Amino acid sequence: MSNEARRKQLGKSDAPVEDEIQDSFSRIVDEGAQRLNRTWATVLITGTFGGLEISAGIMAYLAVKHETGSSLLAGVAFSIGFIALLLAKSELFTEGFLVPIAAVAAREASIGKLAKLWAGTLVANLVSGWAFMWLVLRAFPEWTGTVTESAQHFVGTPMSVQNICLAVLGGSTITLMTRMQHGTDSDVAKIVAAIAGGFLLSGLPLFHSILDSLLIFGALHAGAPITYLQWLGWFGYTLVFNMAGGLLLVTALRLLRSKDLIADRRRNSPKDPDEPR
């Protein structure tokens, strides 16, 4: 008996991969298809909630950083934002690198719907985060020095190989966190993954286009010597390399691992009506 035949015999199904991978793939594709079939209004509202909830994590980050001076402890506090996103079912732009793309690969939705989800979520995250950070810095003006120092870490240095690598790692880390959360049915395990992701992203800190933009917005609201043009220059390349890290280092490899499941899903799924014929 071949190794493949023996593996199928030991599993619960005759799928070409292990049962756990098949179950995780089904969860990812089903959720991705649901997210991609949202209306414009729902995309914007969900993205707005995502910006507000991740801003709560930034608020916790600044509180701990101000009191302790420790980025590592502040990174743990920031994970409150990821836990809120998880439990409230909101949307953060960079969480859309694995789940929706898996649905598109399985032909459960079109590329146009993916573009709508990405564009709407990105804009809504930034706008709502900008507004929330205005409230935070008006409520806690004593954090001005802390938020300015944090923002200068990102916009105060020119684009370099190091910063590009930090952005690539930022994109791959949050996409890996998403994959970890979809690999289990346990809410406790999902929360642990959120804490781990928050620690790595904000504690080290890595470059993340949305999370760190909110810190920069806070510094702008506090009157720091930073301009929106400086933010935009930093944001542009960070966004590109976040996507490169999330799509190439995690999503592409996961889809390659699940290529047989994708092919099977394509054969058995109805064609998306918006997909070009």
Side-chain angles (χ1 to χ4, degrees), residues 159-201:
M159 184 173 66
S160 63
V161 172
Q162 180 184 14
N163 290 348
I164 288 172
C165 291
L166 287 170
V168 170
L169 290 173
S172 65
T173 297
I174 195 167
T175 309
L176 176 60
M177 182 191 76
T178 302
R179 175 64 185 87
M180 291 166 64
Q181 291 174 335
H182 283 84
T184 178
D185 290 322
S186 168
D187 288 338
V188 173
K190 291 178 181 180
I191 290 173
V192 169
I195 294 171
F199 173 78
L200 291 173
L201 278 167

Side-chain angles (χ1 to χ4, degrees), residues 230-254:
Q230 286 178 296
W231 162 73
L232 189 60
W234 171 87
F235 177 77
Y237 81 81
T238 301
L239 180 66
V240 169
F241 288 106
N242 277 171
M243 295 182 71
L247 296 176
L248 298 179
L249 296 185
V250 180
T251 301
L253 295 177
R254 296 294 176 180

Side-chain angles (χ1 to χ4, degrees), residues 20-32:
E20 292 83 357
I21 294 177
Q22 182 188 27
D23 293 342
S24 176
F25 175 80
S26 296
R27 283 195 296 268
I28 287 172
V29 172
D30 290 344
E31 180 182 326

Side-chain angles (χ1 to χ4, degrees), residues 105-129:
R107 292 182 180 169
E108 294 286 350
S110 66
I111 294 177
K113 289 180 178 179
L114 176 65
K116 178 179 74 173
L117 178 70
W118 278 357
T121 302
L122 177 63
V123 171
N125 284 169
L126 292 173
V127 171
S128 60

Side-chain angles (χ1 to χ4, degrees), residues 21-166:
I21 294 177
Q22 182 188 27
D23 293 342
S24 176
F25 175 80
S26 296
R27 283 195 296 268
I28 287 172
V29 172
D30 290 344
E31 180 182 326
Q34 292 178 41
R35 288 162 63 179
L36 287 169
N37 282 287
R38 291 170 177 162
T39 64
W40 265 110
T42 304
V43 168
L44 293 174
I45 291 170
T46 309
T48 296
F49 285 142
L52 296 175
E53 285 152 9
I54 208 67
S55 295
I58 296 293
M59 182 169 61
Y61 174 91
L62 289 173
V64 174
K65 183 72 179 293
H66 178 74
E67 294 297 330
T68 69
S70 171
S71 295
L72 295 177
L73 289 176
V76 175
F78 167 76
S79 63
I80 290 171
F82 280 158
I83 294 171
L85 282 172
L86 171 68
L87 299 181
K89 306 298 181 183
S90 302
E91 190 87 42
L92 188 67
F93 169 70
T94 45
E95 289 185 305
F97 293 162
L98 174 62
V99 178
I101 288 179
V104 171
R107 292 182 180 169
E108 294 286 350
S110 66
I111 294 177
K113 289 180 178 179
L114 176 65
K116 178 179 74 173
L117 178 70
W118 278 357
T121 302
L122 177 63
V123 171
N125 284 169
L126 292 173
V127 171
S128 60
W130 182 94
F132 192 93
M133 293 307 298
W134 184 90
L135 291 173
V136 170
L137 268 298
R138 292 300 178 274
F140 300 100
E142 65 271 20
W143 293 352
T144 294
T146 303
V147 73
T148 299
E149 178 186 359
S150 298
Q152 289 285 4
H153 171 75
F154 303 107
V155 299
T157 57
M159 184 173 66
S160 63
V161 172
Q162 180 184 14
N163 290 348
I164 288 172
C165 291
L166 287 170

